[in-house]
Amino acid sequence: MIQRSLLRSLQSATRPAQPLRLAQRSHSTTFSPLRTAAPSASQQLPARRWHSQAQEAKKDDTVEEQADAQGQGDKASGAAPQADATQKQLEAKDKEVIELKDRLMRQVADYRNLQDQTRREIQAAKDFALQRFAKDLLDSVDNFDRALSGVEAGKLEGESADKDLVALHSGLRMVEQILMTTLKKHGMERFDPAETADKFDPNKMEATFQAPQQGKEDGSVFFTQQKGFTLNGRVLRAAKVGIVRNS
């Protein structure tokens, strides 16, 4: 805008001025010196016009500058609330992301716990599926043990040994060993606390009586009335034992 105004002013100022007319005076013999005529009103018009146009251009420039400054101020004043709103939206989104992440982590943890619990329950169901069947076999195993322990050792050795009784005893012993080996493959084991003189354990044993025993420590097992059984580490039947009590 400033350039166009200045260009118009320069064009008006550079227009060729009308030639000054010299006033001629006729004399008969001599010529008087020429005098320059004063500029007329038409000749002063371009200069005035250029001055007015320059002032108008300055006014226009001032108005445009004020408008630009006001526009920039309006933009700055409008940008501040918009920035605050954007910052609040970002903070809300960050909070939402944190909550969703926490919820997701909790759900993943719950799902993994459920998987572990289900796996343990399935394994326990497999390990103890034969528990009822194993309990039903305990009486048969006990009867084998009673039959073998009921034969005196003197009748199985020496010249007075009965060959038929020895063969029957050996057969029962083999059947018992095969049966116990089969049960052990499925996690079922028999234990006798009196063989190792274990301390009394209420989790695995049941005390039926107490008696003094010389040379043995109080609370130790010295007699097994009924052997105990475990199934995959869990007590299937507690052993019935006698405990030493000297004091």
Coordinates of all heavy atoms in Angstrom, one line a residue, residues 194 198 200 206-211 213 219-225 239-245:
A194 N 8.6 -96.8 63.4 CA 9.4 -97.6 64.4 C 10.7 -98.1 63.8 O 11.7 -98.3 64.6 CB 8.6 -98.8 64.9
D198 N 11.6 -92.6 64.7 CA 11.4 -91.2 64.4 C 10.7 -90.6 65.6 O 10.1 -91.2 66.5 CB 10.4 -91.1 63.2 CG 11.1 -91.5 61.9 OD1 12.3 -91.5 61.9 OD2 10.4 -91.8 61.0
F200 N 7.8 -88.4 67.3 CA 6.4 -88.4 67.1 C 6.0 -87.1 66.3 O 6.3 -86.0 66.7 CB 5.6 -88.4 68.4 CG 4.1 -88.4 68.2 CD1 3.4 -89.5 67.7 CD2 3.4 -87.2 68.6 CE1 2.1 -89.4 67.6 CE2 2.1 -87.1 68.4 CZ 1.4 -88.2 67.9
E206 N -0.4 -91.3 64.8 CA -1.5 -91.3 65.8 C -1.0 -92.1 67.0 O -0.8 -93.3 66.8 CB -2.8 -91.8 65.2 CG -3.9 -91.9 66.2 CD -5.2 -92.5 65.6 OE1 -5.2 -92.8 64.3 OE2 -6.1 -92.8 66.3
A207 N -0.9 -91.5 68.1 CA -0.3 -92.2 69.3 C -1.5 -93.0 70.0 O -2.5 -92.4 70.3 CB 0.2 -91.2 70.3
T208 N -1.3 -94.3 70.1 CA -2.3 -95.1 70.7 C -2.0 -95.4 72.2 O -2.9 -95.7 73.0 CB -2.4 -96.4 69.9 OG1 -1.1 -97.1 69.9 CG2 -2.9 -96.2 68.5
F209 N -0.7 -95.4 72.5 CA -0.3 -95.6 73.9 C 1.1 -95.1 74.2 O 1.8 -94.8 73.2 CB -0.4 -97.1 74.3 CG 0.6 -98.0 73.5 CD1 1.8 -98.3 74.1 CD2 0.3 -98.5 72.2 CE1 2.8 -99.1 73.4 CE2 1.2 -99.2 71.6 CZ 2.4 -99.5 72.1
Q210 N 1.5 -95.0 75.4 CA 2.8 -94.6 75.9 C 3.3 -95.6 76.9 O 2.6 -96.1 77.7 CB 2.7 -93.2 76.5 CG 2.3 -92.1 75.6 CD 2.2 -90.7 76.2 OE1 2.3 -90.7 77.5 NE2 2.1 -89.7 75.4
A211 N 4.7 -95.8 76.8 CA 5.3 -96.8 77.7 C 6.7 -96.4 77.9 O 7.4 -95.8 77.0 CB 5.2 -98.2 77.1
Q213 N 10.7 -96.9 78.1 CA 11.7 -97.7 77.3 C 13.0 -97.3 77.7 O 13.4 -96.1 77.5 CB 11.4 -97.7 75.8 CG 10.1 -98.2 75.3 CD 10.0 -99.7 75.4 OE1 11.1 -100.4 75.2 NE2 8.9 -100.2 75.8
G219 N 9.3 -89.4 73.7 CA 8.7 -88.8 72.5 C 9.0 -89.5 71.2 O 8.4 -89.2 70.2
S220 N 9.9 -90.5 71.3 CA 10.3 -91.3 70.1 C 9.3 -92.5 70.0 O 8.7 -92.9 70.9 CB 11.7 -91.7 70.2 OG 11.9 -92.6 71.3
V221 N 9.2 -93.0 68.7 CA 8.3 -94.1 68.4 C 9.1 -95.4 68.6 O 10.2 -95.5 68.0 CB 7.8 -94.0 67.0 CG1 6.9 -95.2 66.7 CG2 7.0 -92.7 66.8
F222 N 8.6 -96.3 69.4 CA 9.3 -97.6 69.6 C 8.4 -98.8 69.1 O 8.9 -99.9 68.9 CB 9.6 -97.8 71.1 CG 8.4 -98.1 71.9 CD1 8.0 -99.4 72.2 CD2 7.6 -97.1 72.4 CE1 6.9 -99.7 72.9 CE2 6.5 -97.4 73.2 CZ 6.1 -98.7 73.5
F223 N 7.2 -98.5 68.7 CA 6.3 -99.6 68.2 C 5.3 -99.1 67.2 O 4.7 -98.0 67.5 CB 5.6 -100.3 69.4 CG 4.7 -101.4 69.0 CD1 5.2 -102.7 68.6 CD2 3.3 -101.2 68.9 CE1 4.3 -103.7 68.3 CE2 2.5 -102.2 68.5 CZ 3.0 -103.5 68.2
T224 N 5.1 -99.9 66.1 CA 4.1 -99.5 65.1 C 3.0 -100.5 65.2 O 3.2 -101.7 64.8 CB 4.8 -99.4 63.7 OG1 5.8 -98.5 63.7 CG2 3.7 -99.0 62.7
Q225 N 1.8 -100.1 65.5 CA 0.7 -100.9 65.6 C 0.1 -101.1 64.2 O -0.4 -102.1 63.8 CB -0.3 -100.4 66.5 CG -1.6 -101.3 66.8 CD -2.5 -100.7 67.8 OE1 -2.2 -99.7 68.5 NE2 -3.6 -101.3 68.0
A239 N 0.0 -93.3 60.7 CA 0.4 -94.5 61.4 C 0.1 -94.5 62.9 O 0.2 -93.5 63.5 CB 1.9 -94.6 61.2
K240 N -0.4 -95.7 63.3 CA -0.7 -95.8 64.7 C 0.5 -96.4 65.5 O 1.0 -97.5 65.1 CB -1.9 -96.8 64.9 CG -3.2 -96.2 64.3 CD -4.4 -97.1 64.5 CE -5.6 -96.6 63.9 NZ -6.8 -97.5 64.1
V241 N 1.0 -95.6 66.4 CA 2.3 -96.0 67.0 C 2.2 -95.9 68.6 O 1.3 -95.3 69.1 CB 3.4 -95.0 66.5 CG1 3.6 -95.2 65.0 CG2 3.0 -93.6 66.9
G242 N 3.2 -96.5 69.2 CA 3.4 -96.4 70.6 C 4.6 -95.5 70.9 O 5.7 -95.5 70.2
I243 N 4.5 -94.6 71.9 CA 5.5 -93.6 72.1 C 6.2 -93.8 73.5 O 5.6 -94.3 74.4 CB 4.9 -92.2 72.2 CG1 4.1 -91.9 70.9 CG2 5.9 -91.1 72.4 CD1 3.3 -90.6 70.9
V244 N 7.5 -93.5 73.5 CA 8.3 -93.7 74.7 C 8.0 -92.5 75.7 O 8.0 -91.4 75.3 CB 9.8 -93.7 74.4 CG1 10.6 -93.8 75.7 CG2 10.1 -94.8 73.4
R245 N 7.8 -93.0 77.0 CA 7.6 -92.0 78.0 C 8.2 -92.5 79.3 O 7.6 -93.3 80.0 CB 6.1 -91.7 78.3 CG 5.9 -90.6 79.3 CD 4.4 -90.2 79.4 NE 4.2 -89.1 80.3 CZ 3.0 -88.6 80.6 NH1 1.9 -89.1 80.1 NH2 3.0 -87.6 81.5

